[in-house]
Amino acid sequence: QVQLVESGGGLVQAGGSLRLSCAASGRTFSNYAMGWFRQAPEKEREFVATITWGGGSTHYADSVKGRFTISRDNAKNTCYLQMNSLKPEDTAVYYCAVASTPGRLSLQDVYNYWGQGTQVTVSS
């Protein structure tokens, strides 16, 4: 089992920045990749970004490219999502997730473990 705890959410004005953290514990040696997803009110949960644990390969949703940066600290088993130039449409609950095996990392089904989510609200 892998446990995930997100932090860093909050309220920010449009154009501002936030950094989300996701700390993993438990069977972290089995982690292949970590991803961030988000779910806005009355919308489906969507892919935001992902990073492989070994090689650090990253992939982003088109809507956040150039504004968000995903990174990881293997020693701390922690993944980060730096969010800059935030827009009101970025308002959502943000979830981190771990995939234990390779796959299409933009798909939710690839991920085995999920955090509880952290709220990000961007005011206009």
Coordinates of all heavy atoms in Angstrom, one line a residue, residues 6-87:
E6 N -1.6 15.2 0.2 CA -1.4 16.5 -0.6 C -1.4 17.7 0.4 O -2.1 17.6 1.4 CB -2.4 16.7 -1.6 CG -2.5 15.6 -2.7 CD -3.7 14.7 -2.5 OE1 -4.2 14.6 -1.4 OE2 -4.2 14.2 -3.6
S7 N -0.7 18.7 0.0 CA -0.8 20.0 0.8 C -0.4 21.1 -0.2 O 0.1 20.9 -1.3 CB 0.2 19.9 2.0 OG 1.5 19.8 1.5
G8 N -0.7 22.3 0.3 CA -0.3 23.5 -0.5 C -1.4 24.2 -1.2 O -1.2 25.3 -1.8
G9 N -2.6 23.7 -1.1 CA -3.7 24.3 -1.8 C -4.2 25.6 -1.1 O -3.7 25.9 0.1
G10 N -5.0 26.4 -1.7 CA -5.5 27.6 -1.0 C -6.2 28.5 -2.0 O -6.5 28.1 -3.1
L11 N -6.4 29.7 -1.6 CA -7.0 30.8 -2.4 C -6.0 31.7 -2.9 O -5.1 32.2 -2.1 CB -8.1 31.5 -1.5 CG -8.7 32.7 -2.1 CD1 -9.6 32.3 -3.3 CD2 -9.6 33.4 -1.1
V12 N -6.0 32.0 -4.2 CA -5.0 32.9 -4.7 C -5.7 33.7 -5.8 O -6.7 33.3 -6.4 CB -3.8 32.1 -5.3 CG1 -4.3 31.2 -6.5 CG2 -2.7 33.0 -5.7
Q13 N -5.2 34.9 -6.1 CA -5.8 35.8 -7.1 C -5.2 35.3 -8.5 O -4.1 34.7 -8.6 CB -5.4 37.2 -6.9 CG -6.1 37.9 -5.7 CD -5.9 39.4 -5.7 OE1 -4.8 39.9 -6.1 NE2 -6.9 40.1 -5.1
A14 N -6.0 35.6 -9.5 CA -5.5 35.3 -10.9 C -4.2 35.9 -11.1 O -3.9 37.1 -10.7 CB -6.6 35.8 -11.9
G15 N -3.3 35.2 -11.8 CA -2.0 35.6 -12.0 C -1.0 35.2 -10.9 O 0.2 35.3 -11.1
G16 N -1.5 34.7 -9.8 CA -0.6 34.3 -8.7 C -0.1 32.9 -8.9 O -0.3 32.2 -9.9
S17 N 0.6 32.4 -7.8 CA 1.2 31.1 -7.9 C 0.9 30.3 -6.6 O 0.7 30.9 -5.5 CB 2.7 31.3 -8.0 OG 3.1 31.9 -9.2
L18 N 1.0 29.0 -6.7 CA 0.9 28.1 -5.6 C 1.8 26.9 -5.9 O 2.0 26.6 -7.1 CB -0.6 27.6 -5.4 CG -1.6 28.5 -4.7 CD1 -3.0 27.8 -4.8 CD2 -1.2 28.8 -3.3
R19 N 2.3 26.2 -4.9 CA 3.0 25.0 -5.0 C 2.4 23.9 -4.2 O 2.2 24.0 -3.0 CB 4.5 25.1 -4.6 CG 5.3 23.9 -5.0 CD 6.7 24.0 -4.7 NE 7.1 23.7 -3.3 CZ 8.3 23.3 -2.9 NH1 9.2 23.1 -3.8 NH2 8.5 23.0 -1.6
L20 N 1.9 22.9 -4.9 CA 1.3 21.7 -4.2 C 2.4 20.7 -4.0 O 3.3 20.5 -4.8 CB 0.2 21.1 -5.1 CG -0.9 22.0 -5.6 CD1 -1.9 21.2 -6.4 CD2 -1.5 22.8 -4.4
S21 N 2.3 20.0 -2.9 CA 3.2 18.9 -2.5 C 2.4 17.6 -2.3 O 1.2 17.7 -1.9 CB 3.9 19.2 -1.2 OG 4.7 20.4 -1.3
C22 N 3.0 16.5 -2.6 CA 2.4 15.2 -2.4 C 3.4 14.3 -1.8 O 4.4 13.9 -2.5 CB 1.8 14.6 -3.7 SG 1.1 13.0 -3.5
A23 N 3.2 14.0 -0.5 CA 4.2 13.1 0.2 C 3.7 11.7 0.1 O 2.5 11.4 0.5 CB 4.4 13.6 1.6
A24 N 4.5 10.8 -0.3 CA 4.2 9.3 -0.4 C 4.8 8.5 0.7 O 6.0 8.8 1.0 CB 4.6 8.8 -1.8
S25 N 4.1 7.6 1.3 CA 4.7 6.7 2.3 C 4.2 5.3 2.0 O 3.2 5.1 1.3 CB 4.3 7.2 3.7 OG 2.9 7.2 3.9
G26 N 4.8 4.3 2.7 CA 4.4 3.0 2.5 C 5.3 2.3 1.4 O 6.5 2.5 1.4
R27 N 4.8 1.5 0.5 CA 5.5 0.8 -0.5 C 6.0 1.6 -1.6 O 5.7 1.4 -2.8 CB 4.7 -0.4 -1.0 CG 4.4 -1.5 0.1 CD 3.4 -2.5 -0.4 NE 3.9 -3.2 -1.6 CZ 4.6 -4.3 -1.6 NH1 5.0 -4.8 -0.5 NH2 4.9 -4.8 -2.8
T28 N 6.7 2.7 -1.3 CA 7.1 3.7 -2.3 C 8.1 3.1 -3.3 O 8.3 3.7 -4.4 CB 7.6 4.9 -1.7 OG1 8.7 4.6 -0.8 CG2 6.5 5.6 -0.9
F29 N 8.8 2.0 -3.0 CA 9.8 1.5 -3.9 C 9.1 0.9 -5.2 O 9.7 0.7 -6.2 CB 10.6 0.3 -3.2 CG 9.7 -0.8 -2.8 CD1 9.4 -1.9 -3.7 CD2 9.2 -0.9 -1.5 CE1 8.6 -2.9 -3.3 CE2 8.4 -2.0 -1.1 CZ 8.1 -3.0 -2.0
S30 N 7.8 0.7 -5.1 CA 7.1 0.2 -6.3 C 6.5 1.3 -7.2 O 5.8 1.0 -8.1 CB 5.9 -0.7 -5.8 OG 5.0 0.0 -5.1
N31 N 6.8 2.6 -6.8 CA 6.2 3.6 -7.6 C 6.9 3.7 -9.0 O 8.1 3.8 -9.1 CB 6.4 5.0 -6.9 CG 5.6 5.0 -5.6 OD1 4.8 4.1 -5.3 ND2 5.8 6.1 -4.8
Y32 N 6.1 3.8 -10.0 CA 6.7 4.0 -11.4 C 6.6 5.5 -11.8 O 7.5 6.1 -12.3 CB 6.0 3.2 -12.4 CG 6.4 3.5 -13.8 CD1 7.6 3.1 -14.3 CD2 5.6 4.3 -14.7 CE1 8.1 3.4 -15.5 CE2 6.0 4.6 -15.9 CZ 7.3 4.1 -16.4 OH 7.7 4.5 -17.6
A33 N 5.4 6.1 -11.5 CA 5.2 7.5 -11.8 C 4.2 8.1 -10.8 O 3.5 7.4 -10.2 CB 4.7 7.6 -13.2
M34 N 4.2 9.4 -10.8 CA 3.3 10.1 -10.0 C 2.6 11.2 -10.9 O 3.3 11.8 -11.7 CB 3.9 10.8 -8.8 CG 2.9 11.5 -7.8 SD 3.7 12.0 -6.3 CE 3.7 10.4 -5.4
G35 N 1.3 11.3 -10.7 CA 0.6 12.3 -11.5 C -0.3 13.2 -10.7 O -0.6 12.9 -9.5
W36 N -0.7 14.3 -11.3 CA -1.6 15.2 -10.7 C -2.8 15.3 -11.6 O -2.7 15.4 -12.8 CB -1.0 16.6 -10.6 CG 0.0 16.7 -9.5 CD1 1.3 16.6 -9.6 CD2 -0.3 17.0 -8.1 NE1 1.9 16.8 -8.4 CE2 1.0 17.1 -7.4 CE3 -1.4 17.2 -7.3 CZ2 1.1 17.3 -6.1 CZ3 -1.3 17.5 -6.0 CH2 0.0 17.5 -5.4
F37 N -4.0 15.2 -11.0 CA -5.3 15.4 -11.7 C -6.1 16.4 -11.0 O -5.7 16.8 -9.8 CB -6.0 14.0 -11.7 CG -5.4 13.0 -12.5 CD1 -4.3 12.3 -12.1 CD2 -6.0 12.7 -13.8 CE1 -3.7 11.3 -12.9 CE2 -5.4 11.7 -14.6 CZ -4.3 11.0 -14.1
R38 N -7.1 16.9 -11.6 CA -8.0 17.9 -10.9 C -9.4 17.7 -11.3 O -9.7 17.2 -12.4 CB -7.5 19.3 -11.3 CG -7.7 19.7 -12.7 CD -7.1 21.1 -13.0 NE -7.3 21.6 -14.3 CZ -6.7 22.7 -14.8 NH1 -6.0 23.4 -14.1 NH2 -7.0 23.0 -16.1
Q39 N -10.3 18.1 -10.4 CA -11.7 18.0 -10.7 C -12.4 19.3 -10.3 O -12.4 19.7 -9.1 CB -12.3 16.9 -10.0 CG -13.8 16.6 -10.3 CD -14.3 15.3 -9.8 OE1 -13.7 14.7 -8.9 NE2 -15.4 14.8 -10.4
A40 N -12.9 20.0 -11.2 CA -13.7 21.2 -11.0 C -15.1 20.9 -10.7 O -15.6 19.8 -11.1 CB -13.6 22.2 -12.2
P41 N -15.9 21.8 -10.0 CA -17.3 21.5 -9.7 C -18.1 21.1 -11.0 O -18.0 21.7 -12.0 CB -17.8 22.8 -9.1 CG -16.6 23.4 -8.6 CD -15.5 23.1 -9.5
E42 N -18.8 20.0 -10.9 CA -19.7 19.5 -11.9 C -18.9 19.1 -13.2 O -19.5 19.1 -14.3 CB -20.8 20.5 -12.2 CG -21.6 20.9 -11.0 CD -22.8 21.8 -11.3 OE1 -22.9 22.3 -12.5 OE2 -23.6 22.1 -10.4
K43 N -17.7 18.8 -13.1 CA -16.9 18.4 -14.2 C -16.2 17.1 -13.9 O -16.0 16.7 -12.7 CB -15.8 19.5 -14.6 CG -16.4 20.7 -15.2 CD -15.4 21.6 -15.8 CE -16.0 22.8 -16.5 NZ -14.9 23.7 -17.1
E44 N -15.8 16.4 -14.9 CA -15.0 15.2 -14.8 C -13.6 15.5 -14.3 O -13.1 16.5 -14.6 CB -15.0 14.4 -16.1 CG -16.3 14.0 -16.7 CD -16.9 12.8 -15.9 OE1 -16.2 12.0 -15.4 OE2 -18.1 12.9 -15.7
R45 N -13.0 14.5 -13.6 CA -11.7 14.7 -13.2 C -10.8 14.6 -14.4 O -11.0 13.7 -15.3 CB -11.3 13.6 -12.2 CG -9.9 13.8 -11.5 CD -9.8 13.1 -10.2 NE -10.0 11.6 -10.3 CZ -10.0 10.8 -9.3 NH1 -9.8 11.3 -8.1 NH2 -10.2 9.5 -9.5
E46 N -9.8 15.4 -14.5 CA -8.9 15.5 -15.7 C -7.4 15.5 -15.3 O -7.0 15.9 -14.3 CB -9.2 16.8 -16.5 CG -8.9 18.1 -15.8 CD -9.1 19.3 -16.7 OE1 -9.7 19.2 -17.8 OE2 -8.8 20.4 -16.2
F47 N -6.7 15.0 -16.3 CA -5.2 14.9 -16.2 C -4.6 16.3 -16.2 O -5.0 17.2 -16.9 CB -4.7 14.1 -17.3 CG -3.2 14.1 -17.5 CD1 -2.4 13.5 -16.6 CD2 -2.6 14.9 -18.5 CE1 -1.0 13.5 -16.7 CE2 -1.3 14.9 -18.6 CZ -0.4 14.3 -17.8
V48 N -3.6 16.5 -15.3 CA -2.8 17.8 -15.3 C -1.4 17.5 -15.7 O -0.9 18.2 -16.6 CB -2.9 18.4 -13.9 CG1 -2.0 19.6 -13.8 CG2 -4.3 18.7 -13.5
A49 N -0.7 16.7 -15.0 CA 0.7 16.5 -15.2 C 1.2 15.1 -14.6 O 0.5 14.6 -13.7 CB 1.6 17.6 -14.7
T50 N 2.3 14.6 -15.2 CA 2.8 13.4 -14.6 C 4.3 13.4 -14.7 O 4.9 14.1 -15.6 CB 2.2 12.1 -15.3 OG1 2.7 11.0 -14.6 CG2 2.7 12.1 -16.8
I51 N 5.0 12.6 -13.8 CA 6.5 12.5 -13.9 C 6.8 11.1 -13.5 O 6.2 10.5 -12.5 CB 7.1 13.5 -12.9 CG1 8.6 13.5 -13.0 CG2 6.7 13.3 -11.5 CD1 9.3 14.7 -12.4
T52 N 7.8 10.5 -14.2 CA 8.2 9.2 -13.9 C 9.2 9.3 -12.7 O 10.0 10.2 -12.7 CB 8.9 8.5 -15.1 OG1 9.9 9.3 -15.6 CG2 7.8 8.2 -16.2
W53 N 9.2 8.3 -11.9 CA 10.0 8.4 -10.7 C 11.5 8.1 -11.0 O 12.4 8.7 -10.4 CB 9.5 7.4 -9.6 CG 9.6 7.9 -8.2 CD1 10.3 7.4 -7.2 CD2 8.9 9.0 -7.7 NE1 10.2 8.1 -6.1 CE2 9.3 9.1 -6.4 CE3 8.0 9.9 -8.2 CZ2 8.8 10.1 -5.5 CZ3 7.5 10.9 -7.4 CH2 7.8 11.0 -6.1
G54 N 11.8 7.3 -11.9 CA 13.2 6.9 -12.2 C 13.8 8.0 -13.1 O 14.8 8.6 -12.7
G55 N 13.3 8.2 -14.3 CA 14.0 9.0 -15.3 C 13.5 10.5 -15.2 O 14.1 11.3 -15.8
G56 N 12.5 10.8 -14.5 CA 12.0 12.2 -14.4 C 11.4 12.7 -15.7 O 11.3 13.9 -15.9
S57 N 10.9 11.8 -16.5 CA 10.2 12.2 -17.7 C 8.9 12.8 -17.4 O 8.1 12.3 -16.5 CB 10.0 11.0 -18.6 OG 9.2 11.3 -19.8
T58 N 8.5 13.9 -18.0 CA 7.3 14.7 -17.6 C 6.4 14.8 -18.8 O 6.8 14.7 -20.0 CB 7.6 16.1 -17.1 OG1 8.4 16.8 -18.1 CG2 8.5 16.0 -15.9
H59 N 5.1 15.0 -18.5 CA 4.1 15.2 -19.5 C 3.0 16.1 -18.9 O 2.7 15.9 -17.8 CB 3.5 13.8 -20.0 CG 2.4 14.0 -21.0 ND1 2.6 14.6 -22.2 CD2 1.2 13.5 -21.0 CE1 1.5 14.5 -22.9 NE2 0.6 13.9 -22.1
Y60 N 2.5 17.0 -19.7 CA 1.5 18.0 -19.2 C 0.3 18.0 -20.1 O 0.3 17.8 -21.3 CB 2.1 19.4 -19.2 CG 3.3 19.5 -18.3 CD1 4.6 19.3 -18.7 CD2 3.1 19.9 -16.9 CE1 5.7 19.5 -17.9 CE2 4.2 20.0 -16.1 CZ 5.5 19.8 -16.6 OH 6.5 20.0 -15.7
A61 N -0.8 18.4 -19.5 CA -2.0 18.7 -20.3 C -1.8 20.0 -21.0 O -1.1 20.9 -20.5 CB -3.2 18.8 -19.3
D62 N -2.4 20.1 -22.2 CA -2.2 21.4 -23.0 C -2.6 22.6 -22.2 O -2.0 23.7 -22.4 CB -3.0 21.3 -24.3 CG -2.3 20.3 -25.2 OD1 -1.2 19.9 -25.1 OD2 -3.1 19.9 -26.2
S63 N -3.6 22.5 -21.4 CA -4.2 23.6 -20.7 C -3.2 24.2 -19.6 O -3.4 25.4 -19.2 CB -5.5 23.3 -20.0 OG -5.3 22.2 -19.1
V64 N -2.2 23.5 -19.2 CA -1.3 23.9 -18.2 C 0.2 24.1 -18.7 O 1.0 24.5 -17.9 CB -1.3 23.1 -16.9 CG1 -2.8 22.9 -16.4 CG2 -0.7 21.7 -17.2
K65 N 0.4 23.7 -19.9 CA 1.8 23.7 -20.4 C 2.3 25.2 -20.4 O 1.6 26.1 -20.7 CB 1.8 23.2 -21.9 CG 2.0 21.7 -22.0 CD 2.0 21.3 -23.5 CE 2.1 19.8 -23.6 NZ 2.0 19.4 -25.0
G66 N 3.6 25.3 -19.9 CA 4.2 26.6 -19.8 C 3.8 27.4 -18.6 O 4.5 28.4 -18.2
R67 N 2.8 26.9 -17.8 CA 2.5 27.5 -16.5 C 2.7 26.6 -15.3 O 3.1 27.2 -14.3 CB 1.0 27.9 -16.6 CG 0.6 28.8 -17.7 CD -0.9 29.3 -17.5 NE -1.8 28.2 -17.6 CZ -2.7 27.9 -16.6 NH1 -2.7 28.7 -15.5 NH2 -3.5 26.9 -16.8
F68 N 2.6 25.4 -15.5 CA 2.7 24.4 -14.4 C 4.0 23.6 -14.6 O 4.4 23.3 -15.7 CB 1.6 23.4 -14.3 CG 0.3 24.0 -13.8 CD1 0.1 25.4 -13.7 CD2 -0.8 23.2 -13.5 CE1 -1.1 25.9 -13.3 CE2 -2.0 23.7 -13.1 CZ -2.2 25.1 -13.0
T69 N 4.7 23.3 -13.5 CA 5.9 22.4 -13.5 C 5.8 21.3 -12.5 O 5.6 21.7 -11.3 CB 7.1 23.3 -13.3 OG1 7.2 24.3 -14.3 CG2 8.4 22.4 -13.4
I70 N 5.9 20.1 -12.9 CA 5.9 19.0 -12.0 C 7.4 18.6 -11.7 O 8.2 18.6 -12.6 CB 5.1 17.8 -12.5 CG1 4.9 16.7 -11.5 CG2 5.7 17.2 -13.8 CD1 3.9 15.6 -11.9
S71 N 7.7 18.2 -10.5 CA 9.0 17.8 -10.1 C 8.9 16.8 -9.0 O 7.8 16.6 -8.4 CB 9.9 19.0 -9.7 OG 9.3 19.6 -8.6
R72 N 10.0 16.1 -8.7 CA 10.0 15.2 -7.6 C 11.3 15.1 -6.8 O 12.3 15.5 -7.4 CB 9.6 13.7 -8.1 CG 10.8 12.9 -8.5 CD 11.1 13.0 -10.0 NE 12.0 12.0 -10.4 CZ 13.2 12.4 -10.9 NH1 13.6 13.6 -10.9 NH2 14.1 11.4 -11.3
D73 N 11.2 14.8 -5.6 CA 12.4 14.6 -4.7 C 12.4 13.2 -4.3 O 11.6 12.8 -3.4 CB 12.3 15.6 -3.5 CG 13.6 15.5 -2.7 OD1 14.2 14.4 -2.6 OD2 13.9 16.5 -2.0
N74 N 13.2 12.3 -4.9 CA 13.1 10.9 -4.6 C 13.5 10.6 -3.2 O 13.0 9.7 -2.5 CB 14.1 10.1 -5.5 CG 13.5 10.1 -7.0 OD1 12.5 10.7 -7.3 ND2 14.2 9.4 -7.8
A75 N 14.5 11.4 -2.6 CA 14.9 11.1 -1.3 C 13.8 11.4 -0.3 O 13.7 10.7 0.8 CB 16.1 12.1 -0.9
K76 N 12.9 12.3 -0.6 CA 11.8 12.6 0.3 C 10.5 11.9 -0.1 O 9.4 12.1 0.5 CB 11.5 14.1 0.4 CG 12.7 14.9 1.0 CD 12.4 16.4 1.0 CE 13.5 17.2 1.6 NZ 13.2 18.6 1.7
N77 N 10.5 11.2 -1.2 CA 9.3 10.5 -1.7 C 8.2 11.5 -1.9 O 7.0 11.3 -1.5 CB 8.8 9.4 -0.8 CG 9.7 8.2 -0.9 OD1 10.2 7.8 -2.0 ND2 10.0 7.5 0.2
T78 N 8.5 12.7 -2.4 CA 7.6 13.8 -2.5 C 7.6 14.3 -4.0 O 8.6 14.4 -4.6 CB 7.9 14.9 -1.6 OG1 7.9 14.4 -0.2 CG2 7.0 16.1 -1.7
C79 N 6.4 14.6 -4.4 CA 6.2 15.2 -5.8 C 5.6 16.6 -5.6 O 4.8 16.8 -4.6 CB 5.2 14.3 -6.6 SG 4.9 14.9 -8.2
Y80 N 6.0 17.5 -6.5 CA 5.5 18.9 -6.4 C 4.8 19.3 -7.7 O 5.2 18.8 -8.7 CB 6.7 19.8 -6.1 CG 7.5 19.4 -4.9 CD1 8.7 18.7 -5.0 CD2 7.1 19.8 -3.6 CE1 9.4 18.3 -3.9 CE2 7.8 19.5 -2.5 CZ 9.0 18.7 -2.6 OH 9.7 18.4 -1.5
L81 N 3.9 20.2 -7.5 CA 3.3 20.9 -8.7 C 3.4 22.4 -8.5 O 2.7 22.9 -7.7 CB 1.9 20.4 -8.9 CG 1.2 20.9 -10.2 CD1 1.9 20.3 -11.4 CD2 -0.3 20.6 -10.2
Q82 N 4.3 23.0 -9.2 CA 4.4 24.5 -9.2 C 3.5 25.1 -10.2 O 3.6 24.7 -11.4 CB 5.9 24.9 -9.5 CG 6.1 26.4 -9.5 CD 5.9 27.1 -8.1 OE1 6.4 26.5 -7.1 NE2 5.2 28.2 -8.1
M83 N 2.6 25.9 -9.7 CA 1.5 26.4 -10.6 C 1.7 28.0 -10.6 O 1.6 28.6 -9.6 CB 0.1 26.1 -10.0 CG -0.1 24.6 -9.8 SD -1.7 24.1 -9.4 CE -1.8 24.9 -7.8
N84 N 2.0 28.5 -11.8 CA 2.2 29.9 -12.0 C 1.1 30.4 -12.9 O 0.5 29.7 -13.6 CB 3.6 30.2 -12.6 CG 4.7 29.7 -11.6 OD1 4.6 29.8 -10.4 ND2 5.8 29.3 -12.2
S85 N 1.0 31.8 -13.0 CA 0.0 32.4 -13.8 C -1.3 31.8 -13.7 O -2.0 31.4 -14.8 CB 0.5 32.4 -15.3 OG 1.8 33.0 -15.4
L86 N -1.8 31.6 -12.5 CA -3.0 30.8 -12.3 C -4.2 31.6 -12.9 O -4.2 32.9 -12.8 CB -3.2 30.6 -10.8 CG -2.4 29.4 -10.3 CD1 -2.3 29.4 -8.8 CD2 -3.0 28.1 -10.7
K87 N -5.2 30.9 -13.4 CA -6.4 31.4 -13.9 C -7.6 30.9 -13.2 O -7.6 29.9 -12.5 CB -6.5 31.0 -15.4 CG -5.3 31.3 -16.3 CD -5.5 30.7 -17.7 CE -4.3 31.0 -18.5 NZ -4.5 30.4 -19.9

